[in-house]
Amino acid sequence: MEKYFAPCLLLYVIAGCFADDLTYLNGFYSKTPQRLSKYSWFGNVRLHHFRVPEDAVLLRWLLTVSRGSGLNCENQNITVHFRAGAPPVINPIETAFPNSTSVSLAHNLTLTIPSGHSSNVTLFNVTHPKPGDWFLAAHLPKDEGKIEQQGLPSCSYLFQAQMFLRRAADLPILQHNIPLYQTLTTTPALFKVFVPEFTSRLDVFILNCSGKLGNDCGLLITVGSSTLRQGSEVKQNCSGLESCSTSVLIPPWNSWLLVTVETSQPNTTIPFSISANVTVGCKPLSVSSDFNTSAFIRTIIAPQSNSSGGLSNTSVSTRDQPGVRANSSEPVCMRSPSVLRDEQDVLSLRFIISSSNLTVTSDLPTVLTLEHSPGDSGGTFIVQLHLNTSSLVGGFARVKACLTPSAPVLHVNLSQTCATGLMQGYSLSVSSNESQALLRIPFPDAAVWYLSLQTVCNDSVDCRNASAKVSASVSVSACIDDCGPYGECRLLRTHSYFYGACVCKAGWQGWGCTDGATAQSYSRQMAAALLLTLSNFFFIPPIVVALYRGYHVEAAIYFFTMFFSTFYHACDQPGVTVMCIMDYDTLQFCDFLGSVVSVWVTIVCMARLQDPVKYLLFMAGTLVISMAMQLDRRGLWNLLGPVLLALVIMVTSWIYRGVKRHQCYPPLWRRWVLFLLPGIISALIGVCVYVFAQTDSNYYYTHSIWHVMVATSVVFLLPPREKHIPPWGWTNKICSYRRCKNEKVELYTVT
């Protein structure tokens, strides 16, 4: 019952915040706790995806961070990022973004678990949240590069996000130009109004307001919902006014907007009337009934073709007059070419425009409608413009473009910031000096986007006939430039939502692996590759020693380890010095398998068991180790388990021999001082370096030391050859003359 007490109490508190005549419903959503990681790239974050329904008036997140049973855990900060509409764009390690990339960092919150505490529970409220997708991303501070071995005690942290929401089931609707009479108390009055497509202006009016101070009602009008970004709401203070209004220019199309009215006067009842008016000032031309499908297909197949069958720059047939709407006397206010949405793969999308060259004029904007589905917000939105410099007409100065979500900018040449009523846009421009422009937006909002283009003229000339031809390329990809030569694009998933991110290598950083502040030079990469590969040649002495002492199976295993470790590290390099002779996963499996099996057979060989028992243990151990490697290659017990079992077998055999001979085994002090102790010390040094000293920056020489120490320990720890076995042991493996002669005599006798 205790685990349900906090959610129930929280819902009760939320219910107490609203006590007016509206009907409110509660909702509770929870995500499974996830283990947090230190941040080095976006794949380290734990992304939580929530869906906020329409008419939500209060959103409250319960953020719980719990600490595992680590030793000496200090104060720990956890950063949580919030964003509506798409995953948050973050930059906790302050790397440089790629050129021509526009970003707006998400709102974040820092949670702290003090030393000695096991958890942190934090509430985060959003009043009047925007409906739709909301994302939370949590991570630990920057990864310092320490390579932690799985299975060792460490300070681990679990993060869980739970969402409580309150929504109004019967929110009053503001009809266009129809007053709605309301009485305002201490609780804010809530309304919603629908904004149809092609709306250029939304006005909300407050009339007939009366309060304790006469005509001063002290009302505050808010239009819009909170997205934790500036500009998502428009507010108007009506203090001192009996009637007032607020306006939103170019509001989001095809959406419901929340209208909130509240007062600053406590303990008062204020009657008022409210109404809304929507102005539809611009519509594109209607598409002709005889839509030329064959022409569109030819445009897709040959987008550079200027054949006569191609579609015109507007979405009407060429017989329509350019200044008059078909079957109407209303003036034309925009050109709207047809756009084809071509989905190629997950987070791989392109928009094909009906005309390869758009004629952009100064009198009318050219508007492209780019429909994004919610699944496209996990990629990168890419817009490229190319100006045909030979097509300039009139007093041309440049072509300005505005890319905006939810509604287009209809007066591009007059807009300074490419912003609409509640959304901030992005601007591009091309001119005769810079004929190409590129814009990349990581994690774009899940909305309908609009690309508006218009010619801007020189101030000293007549601007009525200025025009230019521009080709536009619009697409969505998982990563920026496929992460370039120093990165790899990864497709990540949280439940059913996919998003892309770059994992960088060779010291490169950033959203597109383009920040080379800590990049490794070519000589540094070559040195790392040579050290990690050539250090495996230290296994040649163990191979020779094993062959000389007659341990041929052990020598074959050491050769297997040396071969695959060399080529695995040649393939595992982070930069351009890479050589893979086979699949990376196969090389990694063989390297890990050979390393553990080499340790296993060496210790079992030191037990000096009879050959049938020894080879049985060799084979059984190899099979079990193979299975363990397939389950978890980096698990600590994959190495520790075989080592402990082999040590138990070896110690048991040595004790048995010592008891039977009534003396310590091995009996010679020289064996202990000159061989066993140096071998044990070499092995311990290698294990300590491998477990405690490795980081991302020193990996190439600390891991090389591990290779050298392990190979050196094998040379010292391999037992001497048996007295009855000659050097290299060939007589036991190759049929000698005497053995063959005896067998021939025996066969002759039987015959």
Side-chain angles (χ1 to χ4, degrees), residues 680-695:
I680 293 173
I681 292 174
S682 298
L684 289 177
I685 293 175
V687 170
C688 291
V689 170
Y690 180 83
V691 174
F692 302 108
Q694 283 191 148
T695 63

Side-chain angles (χ1 to χ4, degrees), residues 22-290:
L22 295 178
T23 301
Y24 291 98
L25 300 177
N26 291 327
F28 173 60
Y29 306 88
S30 180
K31 298 293 183 181
T32 304
Q34 297 187 30
R35 181 170 179 172
L36 296 176
S37 300
K38 293 184 177 181
Y39 186 88
S40 62
W41 66 293
F42 197 80
N44 297 130
V45 307
R46 298 297 173 259
L47 189 66
H48 295 270
H49 179 201
F50 292 93
R51 182 75 179 176
V52 176
E54 294 281 350
D55 303 335
V57 295
L58 178 63
L59 181 61
R60 178 166 292 177
W61 272 294
L62 178 64
L63 309 176
T64 305
V65 181
S66 56
R67 175 184 283 154
S69 57
L71 301 177
N72 300 322
C73 296
E74 301 179 351
N75 295 348
Q76 184 63 66
N77 293 331
I78 297 93
T79 305
V80 184
H81 305 265
F82 303 82
R83 187 184 175 190
V89 178
I90 64 177
N91 191 19
I93 56 179
E94 298 181 352
T95 58
F97 283 88
N99 295 331
S100 304
T101 302
S102 181
V103 296
S104 178
L105 298 182
H107 179 82
N108 64 78
L109 179 69
T110 300
L111 313 178
T112 302
I113 297 185
S115 178
H117 291 70
S118 60
S119 64
N120 178 298
V121 179
T122 302
L123 293 176
F124 182 75
N125 297 338
V126 179
T127 305
H128 305 150
K130 179 182 178 180
D133 296 321
W134 279 76
F135 294 86
L136 277 69
H139 61 84
L140 297 175
K142 178 182 177 181
D143 187 2
E144 300 298 337
K146 178 68 173 65
I147 300 177
E148 298 181 354
Q149 302 301 323
Q150 295 184 14
L152 293 178
S154 62
C155 298
S156 60
Y157 300 88
L158 292 177
F159 174 78
Q160 183 179 26
Q162 297 171 301
M163 183 180 75
F164 303 85
L165 62 86
R166 185 81 162 159
R167 68 181 182 89
D170 48 2
L171 206 60
I173 298 176
L174 294 181
Q175 303 291 342
H176 299 167
N177 297 321
I178 300 178
L180 182 64
Y181 296 93
Q182 291 285 317
T183 300
L184 181 64
T185 59
T186 55
T187 303
L190 303 177
F191 311 90
K192 66 178 180 179
V193 58
F194 183 75
V195 179
E197 195 170 5
F198 311 122
T199 299
S200 60
R201 182 186 180 99
L202 170 65
D203 297 286
V204 178
F205 302 95
I206 295 290
L207 302 172
N208 304 324
C209 172
S210 61
K212 288 183 178 180
L213 302 180
N215 294 333
D216 185 6
C217 301
L219 296 184
L220 175 66
I221 307 175
T222 303
V223 180
S225 301
S226 174
T227 62
L228 301 179
R229 291 184 185 179
Q230 293 184 353
S232 63
E233 297 174 310
V234 174
K235 297 186 178 183
Q236 176 65 45
N237 191 347
C238 298
S239 298
L241 301 175
E242 179 182 1
S243 301
C244 73
S245 65
T246 183
S247 300
V248 180
L249 298 178
I250 317 179
W253 291 355
N254 287 328
S255 62
W256 290 93
L257 289 185
L258 184 68
V259 179
T260 307
V261 180
E262 51 191 336
T263 180
S264 59
Q265 300 180 9
N267 302 322
T268 184
T269 301
I270 302 175
F272 67 96
S273 63
I274 184 172
S275 64
N277 180 45
V278 171
T279 302
V280 179
C282 184
K283 289 185 179 181
L285 296 175
S286 300
V287 177
S288 60
S289 58
D290 55 340

Side-chain angles (χ1 to χ4, degrees), residues 404-424:
T404 53
S406 303
V409 176
L410 299 179
H411 300 284
V412 182
N413 51 5
L414 301 179
S415 176
Q416 299 295 327
T417 61
C418 284
T420 57
L422 301 176
M423 305 293 290
Q424 178 60 48

Side-chain angles (χ1 to χ4, degrees), residues 632-701:
D632 183 12
R633 295 178 190 175
R634 299 186 182 275
L636 178 64
W637 284 99
N638 288 347
L639 175 63
L640 191 59
V643 168
L644 293 178
L645 180 59
L647 287 175
V648 169
I649 295 174
M650 183 193 72
V651 171
T652 303
S653 175
W654 284 10
I655 293 175
Y656 173 78
R657 288 174 179 266
V659 171
K660 186 176 182 180
R661 298 181 182 184
H662 302 286
Q663 61 179 350
C664 181
Y665 185 87
L668 300 178
W669 65 268
R670 291 190 298 273
R671 179 67 186 168
W672 285 94
V673 174
L674 301 180
F675 294 93
L676 294 181
L677 288 181
I680 293 173
I681 292 174
S682 298
L684 289 177
I685 293 175
V687 170
C688 291
V689 170
Y690 180 83
V691 174
F692 302 108
Q694 283 191 148
T695 63
D696 291 336
S697 58
N698 66 14
Y699 174 80
Y700 71 102
Y701 61 83

